Amino acid sequence: MLPANPAQGSRSAARTLTVRQALREGLARLLADHVPSASLAAELLLMHALERDRTYLYAHGDNKLSAAAGERYFGLIAERLSGKPTQYITGHQEFWGLDFEVTPDVLIPRPETEHLVEAVVERAAASGPAGPARRQIVDVGTGSGCIALALAKELPGAEIYATDISPAALGVAARNATRLGLAGRVQFRETDLLTYFLNPSYEDTFDFVISNPPYVGRDEMGQVQREVREFEPRLAWGGLERGDEVYARLFPEARRVLRPGAFVVVEIGYNMRDRVLAQLGAGWTDADIRPDLAGIPRVVVARKSRP
Ligand SMILES: C[S@@+](CC[C@H](N)C(=O)[O-])C[C@H]1O[C@@H](n2cnc3c(N)ncnc32)[C@H](O)[C@@H]1O
């Protein structure tokens, strides 16, 4: 058994550990601290420390860890125990089957956000084959670029833009485009919501405006996990007064740039359905709510009314 404090003696103790023992010990430390998804975290951190995949961990469980690898692993476990999310330690998060680089400059992509991508892909398919009409899409508040790049993968004929107010986030998104072989498929713009497009050249242009905006209000701050509060960028998750402020600005801007009959698709907070629908107001039709896998209303889709 390793000493409880990884800073003390982890080098000598780790020298004698097998892969399986290290995994068990890492897991035990995470569980003792009630770290969420401890088992997954223990695996991902060991994979990261060894630069190996999951198959290796289970196929070579009896292999001895080198002292350096043991020290690296228990150092990563200590970082996780400090509250730092596993994804910021490994620098990776999967979204829509794609591997995204994540840094503390961007929100860690969440599985529920995949419902936004699904909603767009379904509607794009329903409105006819990609064909000659080149779909124009803009993702507002792109962060890691996860939504825009997933759509670039799914809709090869689409012309896709992505905005963010954070230049650091746009840097991460651009690197993800390159890593995923999608450089040039998404054009990134540093701007406040859709400001860059609010001019006559983009009026009635887009087929989809998509956004997972910051939506945590002051009253929900207490429910935000420590990992989010202390490590994810506040600009990304909110810390707003009510939480739904962004929609009140986004919907009118989206109306200006969408062509009639085109769609706005937004992610919403768990208790926001009625407030967000009320903010849509006149000028929209066919409002639709999609629940996430937990049954929580998560995605609002609406169409810009035709004249
Ligand atoms: C909830 S995160 C979503 C990131 C990514 N789309 C995702 O789903 O993981 C919101 C993003 O919006 C950006 N943002 C916040 N306020 C903005 C604004 N006024 N204009 C443009 N982007 C903004 C943040 O920097 C952050 O990257």
Side-chain angles (χ1 to χ4, degrees), residues 105-110 113 139-147 163-166 169 191-193 212-214 235-237 249 267:
D105 289 318
V106 298
L107 191 89
I108 298 164
R110 307 297 206 265
T113 301
D139 169 28
V140 180
T142 199
S144 62
C146 59
I147 298 172
T163 76
D164 208 291
I165 204 165
S166 156
T191 190
D192 183 4
L193 299 184
N212 173 20
L235 181 62
W237 54 265
R249 291 177 54 217
E267 182 167 324

Side-chain angles (χ1 to χ4, degrees), residues 85 107 110 224-233 237:
L107 191 89
R110 307 297 206 265
V224 172
Q225 280 182 322
R226 172 187 170 209
E227 278 85 348
V228 177
R229 231 182 15 247
E230 291 181 11
F231 290 90
E232 300 201 58
W237 54 265

Side-chain angles (χ1 to χ4, degrees), residues 136-138 161 197 202 204-208 257-259 262:
Q136 311 237 68
I137 297 176
V138 56
Y161 292 85
F197 301 99
Y202 289 99
D204 295 348
T205 296
F206 286 98
D207 298 279
F208 293 93
V257 303
L258 285 170
R259 62 173 180 72

